[in-house]
Amino acid sequence: MKRIFSGIQPSGNLHLGNYLGAMKNWVALQHEYECIFCMVDMHAITVWQDPAELRATTRELAAGMIAAGIDPAKNVLFNQSQVAAHAELAWVFNCVARMGWLNRMTQFKEKAGKNRENVSVGLFAYPCLMAADILAYKATHVPVGEDQKQHLELTRDVAQKFNTDFGREVFPLPEPLIFGTATRVMSLRDGEKKMSKSDPSDYSRINMTDDADTIALKIRKAKTDPNPLPETTEGLVGRPEAANLLGIYAALLDKTLDQAIADVGGLPFADFKGKLADAAVAKLGPINAEMTRLRNDPAYVDGLLREGGAKAAALAKPVMDEVYEVVGFLRP
Ligand code: AMP
Ligand code: TRP
């Protein structure tokens, strides 16, 4: 039986990249597997977070995930800090992982930069908390993007070393789940830059909270080149904006790039943009409406998360009991 664990950092400004690159794939997973979706607020505080904002973005993310189609009744959806097992197992893993392993993590090097002496200890230990997230549920599969593959490798190393050190097969070695269809959505202003919540221009992204008029306007203003759309995928080489908009169009309509080109290849951008706006509004309109409803009812969202937290805690309990017994902690 496959059990999936997926973590996502709470952040505001959810956009089309988050939806097509992550959420849409998770929505598909829930029909096939047992899924645990965790909003990792404890990872978030490895760098400074304004407390009120952290609470708000956690709710916002929950609303976005539910609006995107993740069913909180069918899956386990919660925020990390509700379940003490994450912190408890992370401590054990801090004592299993080696300094040398964490020293090799490229995300730490990137985030710390030249400021190594001054970043939090939590930022260094981040991968051990991530290993704990996954292994507290003995999850077997983890959907990850390129940037998180190294952390998943470390999770496997931690699981393996724990099992070997204590001579017991406690943990599975979790496998990455790579989506063949995951879309990398680029900025509407620059086809070579990722669509990102931190881009200063709001015209660079389509937010999950944008209304239909805003979506259409942003697509009309999106950067293009002077030529019509190509009639083959090879024709996209060297045309990052055309490739991006076509990729978005295909993903919104659940088509392959070839199918999308068969559909709209050869059109001038002005015509294509109208079709793209229609597709975006059709997909995001209902999500947007549901998000608005959920944002206006935070108590309802909190209630769902509380239930998710209770389900998660019940799943982690036997694993933590086993770990503490194996490690040799006296629990009189
Ligand atoms: P972030 O908000 O950047 O931490 O991203 C949250 C999730 O959305 C991660 O799984 C990312 O891989 C995904 N994501 C963010 N931006 C994009 C993008 N422009 N294209 C595709 N996926 C993205
Ligand atoms: N580090 C992941 C990211 O930044 C988030 C994350 C935390 C995660 N715990 C996880 C992802 C466990 C998968 C499994 O995207």
Side-chain angles (χ1 to χ4, degrees):
M1 175 65 185
K2 287 187 185 170
R3 177 181 279 178
I4 293 198
F5 185 97
S6 194
I8 180 165
Q9 296 231 21
S11 67
N13 276 354
L14 292 173
H15 54 72
L16 190 64
N18 300 129
Y19 176 68
L20 293 178
M23 293 185 188
K24 184 168 164 265
N25 298 312
W26 297 346
V27 170
L29 282 178
Q30 67 183 341
H31 304 300
E32 280 175 71
Y33 307 110
E34 180 185 8
C35 293
I36 302 169
F37 296 112
C38 179
M39 296 177 286
V40 293
D41 46 10
M42 290 163 64
H43 278 104
I45 64 162
T46 56
V47 297
W48 171 253
Q49 302 291 330
D50 176 78
E53 209 166 297
L54 179 60
R55 210 165 355 252
T57 51
T58 304
R59 279 200 187 108
E60 179 84 4
L61 177 60
M65 295 191 34
I66 296 166
I70 287 169
D71 180 352
K74 193 171 181 306
N75 304 283
V76 181
L77 174 67
F78 70 111
N79 56 312
Q80 192 181 25
S81 59
Q82 280 197 81
V83 181
H86 294 254
E88 293 175 359
L89 189 56
W91 181 257
V92 175
F93 288 167
N94 281 343
C95 303
V96 173
R98 307 288 95 181
M99 291 291 287
W101 300 1
L102 295 180
N103 261 324
R104 283 194 288 276
M105 294 294 112
T106 53
Q107 182 173 295
F108 175 74
K109 289 188 218 169
E110 272 164 27
K111 286 195 178 173
K114 293 195 185 72
N115 199 24
R116 253 184 118 107
E117 291 298 309
N118 239 328
V119 294
S120 72
V121 174
L123 191 67
F124 187 69
Y126 183 114
C128 288
L129 178 58
M130 180 159 158
D133 295 341
I134 297 164
L135 296 172
Y137 305 96
K138 298 192 178 184
T140 57
H141 291 77
V142 182
V144 281
E146 270 311 310
D147 65 326
Q148 295 298 315
K149 268 196 189 156
Q150 195 185 32
H151 287 162
L152 190 64
E153 273 303 312
L154 185 115
T155 301
R156 293 167 59 89
D157 291 343
V158 167
Q160 177 106 62
K161 180 160 162 51
F162 184 99
N163 291 349
T164 312
D165 285 354
F166 294 100
R168 297 262 294 268
E169 286 302 304
V170 176
F171 294 115
L173 305 189
E175 309 265 351
L177 206 86
I178 312 283
F179 296 105
T181 55
T183 316
R184 194 151 179 260
V185 182
M186 311 308 279
S187 159
L188 298 182
R189 294 305 227 178
D190 178 351
E192 288 175 310
K193 245 172 59 187
K194 236 174 116 166
M195 184 177 286
S196 153
K197 61 183 172 235
S198 54
D199 195 311
S201 168
D202 200 51
Y203 281 96
S204 70
R205 67 184 155 259
I206 293 174
N207 300 306
M208 283 175 71
T209 48
D210 284 342
D211 60 23
D213 289 344
T214 310
I215 293 173
L217 176 67
K218 285 178 174 176
I219 290 176
R220 254 198 326 276
K221 284 184 170 272
K223 186 176 169 195
T224 55
D225 56 42
N227 300 315
L229 286 177
E231 316 233 13
T232 63
T233 44
E234 293 80 58
L236 289 171
V237 176
R239 299 184 63 188
E241 282 80 21
N244 184 38
L245 295 182
L246 246 151
I248 293 174
Y249 181 77
L252 284 169
L253 294 176
D254 293 309
K255 293 182 186 232
T256 64
L257 204 54
D258 283 321
Q259 288 168 335
I261 287 192
D263 181 7
V264 295
L267 286 186
F269 270 108
D271 299 348
F272 169 58
K273 279 181 167 182
K275 284 178 171 273
L276 178 58
D278 290 345
V281 169
K283 194 80 175 192
L284 294 178
I287 295 177
N288 180 300
E290 177 67 358
M291 256 190 105
T292 305
R293 193 181 74 77
L294 293 169
R295 285 165 115 194
N296 289 329
D297 197 353
Y300 173 72
V301 173
D302 288 4
L304 293 175
L305 292 182
R306 204 176 314 118
E307 284 167 28
K311 282 198 268 183
L315 291 174
K317 170 86 170 60
V319 180
M320 285 315 294
D321 286 347
E322 185 184 3
V323 167
Y324 280 178
E325 194 270 317
V326 166
V327 168
F329 288 164
L330 179 65
R331 314 188 82 204

